[in-house]
Amino acid sequence: MQFSFPAELLYPVIFSLTFPITLAVVSRSRLLRGRNAAQFFVASLVHLAAWVGGSLFLPAGYTPHGASGWLISSMVVGSFLMIYLEAWALLSRGYTLAMLLALLESPSPLAADAIAARYRSGDGLEWIFRHRLAGLEAAGMIRKEGADLALTPRLGAFVVMLYRVAIAVFGLRKTG
Amino acid sequence: MNVTDVSLGITWFLIYLTAVYAAIRSWPQASPAVLAVLIAAAITIAAAVVAPAIPLKANYWRVFATASFLMLVYLMVFGATYKSISLHILHDLWQTPSRKLPIEHILARYIQKESFSARIQVMLEHGWATQSSQGITLSPKGRWLARSVRFVQRLYNIEKSG
C-alpha cells in the first residue's frame, strides 16, 4: 500500500477548510435569521455546488477520476461537513453549553431552578421540551390527544423500531 | 485501484464496528461515547502502522477517506441513539400499553429530572461549575469555555442556543 497523497484529494481537502467562511456569510442572511438548521443546510448546498463546479475546472490530475474517484472525493467533503455539523449542533443546540451561558449571564450564583428559568436567554427549560415535541409532531411521529402525548402507529412506531435496532447494533444498555 | 481502496476502507470500518460493539459489551461501566471515539483513534493509528505490510495495490489516503467517512456516519447515528431526548421520549411512549403518556409527566421526567440533573452533574464533574450554599457558579475553566462559546456564536450570528 502506498502513502503518497493523491492529487485528486487536494482540492476537496483544501476547499473543505473554507466551509466556516461560507457558513459565516450564510448565517448573516436576513432571510435565515435565527434558523440555525436552515443556515447550515443552505451553506452546505452552496459549498457542495461550489465544490462540484470547481472540480470540473481543475487541471488534469486534480479532478476526480471516474465514479470511484468522485465517490472518494465526495466522502472527503462529506466527512468535513459532518465534523462541522457536529460543531454547529453543539453551538446552536447544545444543552449543557446553554446552561453554562445562563450561568455566564448571571452576576451571582444560581440555584438549579434559576438556571432552568434563565435557560436560552430566559425562554426557560420548557422551551427545549416544547421545541423537541413540536419537531416530533411536525414530523408525524407523535400527536397530542388532550393532555396526553401519543405515538403515531405508523411513523412513530417505525422510528422506535429503528431506534431499538440501533440500540442492539451498537450494543448499548442505556440511552438518553 | 479506487475499488480496492473503497473495499479496504469498508473493511477498516467493519473492524471498527466490531471493536466498538465488543468494547461496549465488555466494559459496561465505561462511557460508550468515549469508547467509540477512543477506538476510532486507536484503529486509525493501528491502520497506519499495518498499512505498509498489506500486499495490495491501494492508496492509504483513499482508504482512510472511505473509512473516516463511514466512521463519522456511524458516530453521528451512534450519538443520536445514545443521547437523543426525542428518541428516548418516543421509546417510552412505545413501551406503554396505550402508546401514550401525559405531557406533564414527560416534561417532569425528561426535562426537569433526568436530563437537567444529568447536565448539572456533567458541569460539576468536568469542573466547569462549582456548587456552594448560595447556588451554582462558573469556575474559571467554565467561564473561559462559556466565553469562547459566546464568541463563536457571535461570529456566526447565533443569537440563542439550546
Side-chain angles (χ1 to χ4, degrees), chain B residues 50-114:
Chain B
V50 170
I54 296 174
L56 284 172
K57 200 178 174 188
N59 180 281
Y60 172 79
W61 296 106
R62 291 198 188 100
V63 176
F64 174 72
T66 307
S68 301
F69 176 78
L70 294 173
M71 286 195 288
L72 282 165
V73 171
Y74 171 90
L75 286 171
M76 298 280 280
V77 180
F78 181 90
T81 306
Y82 182 52
K83 272 287 167 204
S84 170
I85 294 173
S86 303
L87 287 173
H88 208 178
I89 290 172
L90 289 180
H91 189 245
D92 273 14
L93 288 173
W94 183 83
Q95 282 187 316
T96 62
S98 62
R99 303 278 195 267
K100 64 172 83 165
L101 282 168
I103 293 173
E104 290 312 314
H105 166 87
I106 297 171
L107 172 67
R109 179 172 174 193
Y110 294 103
I111 308 298
Q112 289 165 353
K113 286 185 189 165
E114 289 189 12

Side-chain angles (χ1 to χ4, degrees), chain A residues 150-168:
Chain A
L151 187 74
T152 56
R154 287 189 183 173
L155 188 59
F158 178 68
V159 171
V160 171
M161 191 196 75
L162 291 180
Y163 179 55
R164 289 172 67 84
V165 169
I167 290 172

